[in-house]
């Protein structure tokens, strides 16, 4: 499924049981105007918590785990409504959104404060919002397994409950059974980061009733979050599990031990990682996908989007894409007005079946300069011509130069920005190959790879590769504190304010920086994995080995006069 879109490399070349839900029905005539659902449900909404059985016993207490689903939905109507769902481990530990909102409850434990604007905006427009505590977090039973069966099943179970296929209760243990007769069964999952990752994972199960997902800066393969082609980034899933668990969860020790044992520090691919790779199951996805990712996201790196997108495209999954210049930032905080309107129409189309024409609009929107967006019918990463460029003694070009070599000495104290600085000066820590100044604008889009034949002088060796645009530009400051945004003192409101549930959020603006070069794609590898990513092999000093490894997905236009360069280095201290 991992198809290269713009590069393909030969050796030494760069290749750029419950009650069924109410029958789904279209919205009432007065609910839709000008192709958009209207805020006609103005009565105080219903707020409740339902504990849904997952069928698992992750904490080993002999009782089937239940996960807490906090629901807010329109009241005073017999009309069934669709659901916008965000399943997250962060509702009590870390918060959601730019203002790190947490769930809040009244003295009776009834949910009051729902993070983010989804309930404030969409409930008056005839949707329910369901915020799910993943197993082992906040008020849910079970254990966190960081993208594994527990995480995915705990969210999928709520989709099943909303469609009458799983039991729900009004208490975390015992209690009376609760059905979702108010639901049409149409569910849209949304979320940033871990939350969007869960949406990807649930979609890859093919669960019935999940009509659309909106993953924002989301993971498609957990291996690629913690590792890269044999290289470890130095942190592990057990640490994340400890962060999001509620109260330490002593019964979850075995689960964390499994995470530790299954994620060896040597960077090998293991069954734990393949179990957490959703890309091979993209063919099961029946939900449409509206994906958002920052091209400057160095947390959830863009390869996560590229491999997922390519797999969805291969199976003609209906899809839409926004690519920003930001880092790990929600579109609500970099393009707010357009985001709320587009998301509104997307949910209306897929959850309310409103024929609003969004399917016929440009499928991709890419930020070319701060707050300057370009729309296109299909993302060009799917259409770009595979292009092979070869490192040469005289630079980087389309023709190979047999017999050419370059050398460097690994200095683990340096990083990619050290290597990229002063491109016209020699450096013993890198090998740099550059084109001549470009005679015309060149767009590099898609997911690529690099192939090297390397002769190590040591029994272990890391390799890092970068594509660099050399030339002056002004871009979002995605390396800065706000990853491309600044939070202001002013506020704007999106939906209805309710006691304890504010619909107003601080505004933001773009932060920018003037640069002389921009790293537009990166990749890392361990040469010991040149034969297999699942089993490393010690290197023989002086013996050449050939390895192909991936470069992160990108979409970047190099203006005429700029130069495109490939840099090969050793241990990138910023990541390895």
């Amino acid at each position: 499924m991992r198809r290269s879109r713009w590069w393909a490399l030969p050796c030494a070349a760069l290749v750029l049981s419950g009650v069924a839900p109410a029958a789904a029905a279209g919205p009432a005539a007065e609910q839709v105007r000008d192709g958009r659902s209207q805020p006609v449900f103005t009565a105080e909404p219903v707020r409740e918590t339902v504990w849904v059985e997952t069928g698992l016993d992750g904490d080993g207490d002999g009782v089937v785990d239940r996960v807490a689903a906090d629901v807010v939905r329109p009241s005073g109507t017999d009309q069934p409504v669709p659901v916008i769902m965000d399943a997250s481990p962060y509702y009590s530990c870390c918060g959601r959104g730019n203002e790190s909102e947490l769930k809040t409850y009244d003295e009776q434990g009834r949910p009051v404060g729902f993070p983010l604007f989804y309930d404030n905006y969409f409930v008056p427009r005839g949707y329910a919002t369901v915020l799910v505590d993943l197993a082992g977090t906040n008020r849910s039973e079970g254990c966190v397994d960081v993208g594994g069966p527990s995480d995915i099943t705990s969210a999928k179970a709520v989709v099943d409950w909303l469609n009458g296929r799983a039991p729900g209760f009004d208490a975390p243990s015992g209690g009376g059974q609760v059905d979702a007769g108010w639901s049409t069964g149409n569910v849209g999952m949304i979320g940033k980061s871990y939350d969007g990752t869960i949406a990807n994972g649930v979609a890859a199960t093919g669960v019935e009733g999940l009509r659309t997902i909106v993953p924002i800066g989301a993971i498609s393969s957990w291996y690629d979050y913690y590792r890269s082609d044999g290289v470890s980034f130095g942190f592990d899933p057990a640490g994340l599990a400890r962060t999001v668990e509620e109260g330490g969860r002593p019964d979850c020790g075995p689960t964390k031990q499994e995470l530790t044992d299954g994620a060896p520090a040597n960077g090998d691919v293991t069954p734990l990682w393949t179990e957490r790779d959703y890309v091979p199951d993209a063919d099961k996805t029946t939900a449409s996908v509206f994906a958002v990712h920052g091209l400057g996201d160095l947390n959830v790196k863009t390869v996560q989007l590229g491999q997922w997108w390519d797999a969805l495209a291969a199976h003609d999954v209906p899809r839409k894409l926004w690519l920003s210049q930001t880092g790990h930032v929600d579109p609500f905080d970099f393009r707010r007005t357009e985001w709320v309107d587009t998301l509104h129409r997307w949910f209306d189309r897929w959850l309310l079946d409103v024929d609003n024409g969004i399917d016929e609009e440009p499928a991709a929107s890419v930020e070319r300069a701060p707050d300057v967006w370009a729309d296109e019918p299909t993302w060009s990463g799917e259409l770009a011509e595979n292009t092979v460029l070869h490192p040469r003694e005289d630079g980087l070009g389309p023709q190979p130069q047999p017999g050419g070599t370059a050398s460097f000495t690994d200095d683990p104290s340096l990083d990619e920005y050290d290597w990229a600085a002063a491109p016209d000066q020699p450096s013993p820590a890198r090998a740099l190959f550059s084109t001549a100044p470009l005679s015309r604008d060149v767009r590099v889009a898609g997911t690529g790879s690099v192939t090297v034949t390397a002769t190590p002088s040591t029994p272990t060796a890391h390799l890092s590769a970068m594509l660099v645009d050399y030339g002056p530009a002004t871009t979002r400051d995605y390396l800065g504190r706000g990853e491309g945004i600044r939070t202001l003192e002013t506020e704007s409101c999106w939906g209805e304010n309710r006691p304890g549930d504010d619909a107003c959020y601080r505004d933001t603006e773009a932060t920018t920086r003037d640069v002389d070069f921009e790293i537009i794609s990166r990749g890392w590898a361990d040469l010991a994995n040149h034969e297999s990513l699942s089993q490393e092999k010690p290197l023989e000093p002086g013996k050449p080995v050939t390895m192909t490894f991936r470069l992160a997905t990108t979409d970047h236009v190099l203006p005429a006069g700029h130069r495109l360069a490939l840099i090969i280095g050793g241990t990138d201290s910023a990541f390895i």
Side-chain angles (χ1 to χ4, degrees):
M1 294 297 181
R2 294 185 175 90
R3 302 187 302 160
S4 178
R5 284 296 184 189
W6 46 272
W7 308 97
L9 279 161
C11 179
L14 168 70
V15 177
L16 295 187
S17 64
V19 177
E30 67 274 11
Q31 189 182 340
V32 177
R33 186 171 65 250
D34 298 327
R36 292 171 174 80
S37 57
Q38 300 297 309
V40 299
F41 298 93
T42 57
E44 180 67 23
V46 176
R47 298 173 185 267
E48 59 187 340
T49 302
V50 178
W51 280 267
V52 179
E53 286 192 350
T54 67
L56 304 176
D57 180 15
D59 49 19
D61 62 0
V63 179
V64 173
D65 298 329
R66 295 181 183 179
V67 293
D70 291 320
V71 179
V72 56
R73 55 185 174 86
S75 64
T77 178
D78 294 327
Q79 178 181 324
V81 298
V83 172
I84 297 168
M85 174 175 152
D86 189 337
S88 177
Y90 293 137
Y91 287 128
S92 66
C93 78
C94 310
R96 305 314 296 131
N98 192 36
E99 299 177 35
S100 300
E101 289 187 301
L102 302 172
K103 284 183 177 180
T104 62
Y105 307 88
D106 63 18
E107 294 179 353
Q108 290 73 43
R110 184 178 69 108
V112 176
F114 282 66
L116 306 177
F117 75 100
Y118 307 138
D119 63 306
N120 308 90
Y121 187 86
F122 284 105
V123 171
R125 289 167 170 80
Y127 293 83
T129 298
V130 178
L131 304 186
V132 181
D133 299 326
L134 290 185
T137 70
N138 200 16
R139 301 201 295 177
S140 289
E141 299 175 328
C143 297
V144 177
D145 67 353
V146 188
S150 177
D151 278 9
I152 301 305
T153 300
S154 63
K156 176 181 176 294
V158 179
V159 178
D160 285 330
W161 171 68
L162 291 165
N163 281 273
R165 298 188 299 266
F169 299 86
D170 59 10
S173 62
Q177 193 159 340
V178 179
D179 67 67
W182 48 266
S183 166
T184 63
N186 291 344
V187 180
M189 293 185 68
I190 188 171
K192 176 193 167 192
S193 198
Y194 203 138
D195 306 16
T197 302
I198 299 302
N200 283 342
V202 174
T205 70
V207 61
E208 184 180 354
L210 184 61
R211 295 284 303 277
T212 192
I213 62 170
V214 185
I216 301 165
I219 293 167
S220 59
S221 165
W222 284 89
Y223 176 86
D224 294 316
Y225 183 71
Y226 289 102
R227 308 285 189 262
S228 174
D229 291 305
V231 164
S232 170
F233 293 138
F235 56 106
D236 296 289
L240 181 54
R242 284 189 290 268
T243 296
V244 302
E245 279 180 345
E246 183 66 19
R249 305 276 174 161
D251 292 340
C252 293
T255 298
K256 289 194 286 293
Q257 190 61 51
E258 290 175 2
L259 292 174
T260 299
D261 294 343
N266 63 7
D268 286 356
V269 175
T270 65
L272 179 137
W273 297 124
T274 56
E275 187 177 46
R276 289 161 175 78
D277 183 357
Y278 313 130
V279 177
D281 289 326
D283 60 340
K284 298 178 183 177
T285 301
T286 58
S288 63
V289 179
F290 183 2
V292 181
H293 217 102
L295 291 167
D297 193 339
L298 300 180
N299 177 7
V300 179
K301 301 171 184 65
T302 53
V303 70
Q304 302 279 358
L305 166 75
Q307 60 196 3
W308 182 237
W309 185 267
D310 285 351
L312 296 172
H315 298 288
D316 294 323
V317 174
R319 60 204 181 279
K320 187 175 180 68
L321 177 65
W322 277 16
L323 291 173
S324 74
Q325 285 193 345
T326 66
H328 200 53
V329 181
D330 193 295
F332 186 75
D333 296 313
F334 64 69
R335 201 185 186 192
R336 185 168 297 178
T337 299
E338 294 85 350
W339 171 247
V340 175
D341 179 67
T342 305
L343 185 65
H344 181 184
R345 292 184 297 116
W346 184 263
F347 279 146
D348 279 356
R349 162 64 182 88
W350 292 103
L351 301 181
L352 284 174
D353 293 318
V354 175
D355 185 9
N356 54 21
I358 197 168
D359 310 67
E360 307 303 321
E361 295 177 4
S365 190
V366 183
E367 189 177 23
R368 290 290 169 214
D371 289 325
V372 177
W373 292 79
D375 295 336
E376 53 190 40
T378 301
W379 182 46
S380 290
E382 298 179 53
L383 306 177
E385 180 183 353
N386 286 344
T387 303
V388 180
L389 297 179
H390 298 267
R392 301 165 48 96
E393 290 184 356
D394 59 353
L396 189 66
Q399 300 300 321
Q401 183 181 44
T405 64
S407 64
F408 63 86
T409 301
D410 190 5
D411 183 347
S413 69
L414 302 180
D415 66 21
E416 54 188 15
Y417 286 93
D418 297 316
W419 299 335
D424 297 322
Q425 300 297 320
S427 168
R430 68 169 189 224
L432 187 151
F433 310 91
S434 174
T435 67
L438 299 171
S439 61
R440 59 182 176 84
D441 293 358
V442 173
R443 181 177 180 182
V444 182
T447 306
S449 60
V450 59
T451 296
V452 298
T453 296
T455 304
S457 61
T458 55
T460 62
H462 293 144
L463 284 181
S464 302
M466 301 176 295
L467 292 181
V468 185
D469 172 1
Y470 281 106
T474 298
T475 186
R476 280 195 188 251
D477 185 15
Y478 65 84
L479 296 175
R481 182 177 179 181
E483 299 189 53
I485 65 165
R486 178 186 295 112
T487 304
L488 306 176
E489 295 300 321
T490 59
E491 284 190 334
S492 55
C493 302
W494 302 86
E496 294 187 5
N497 285 312
R498 301 284 184 179
D501 193 24
D502 190 358
C504 302
Y505 295 85
R506 293 173 66 182
D507 298 315
T508 67
E509 65 181 6
T511 58
T512 64
R513 60 187 180 122
D514 295 328
V515 299
D516 295 320
F517 66 85
E518 183 76 8
I519 299 174
I520 64 174
S521 187
R522 306 158 167 85
W524 308 267
D526 187 337
L527 269 182
N529 291 97
H530 66 278
E531 291 185 355
S532 169
L533 292 182
S534 60
Q535 186 173 4
E536 63 180 14
K537 180 179 179 180
L539 301 173
E540 295 183 29
K543 181 180 179 179
V545 297
T546 299
M547 186 172 186
T548 298
F549 57 99
R550 296 165 300 164
L551 294 171
T553 307
T554 190
D555 190 329
H556 183 86
V557 175
L558 291 86
H562 285 212
R563 293 180 294 161
L564 175 65
L566 166 68
I567 296 177
I568 304 290
T571 302
D572 181 353
S573 66
F575 294 94
I576 302 175

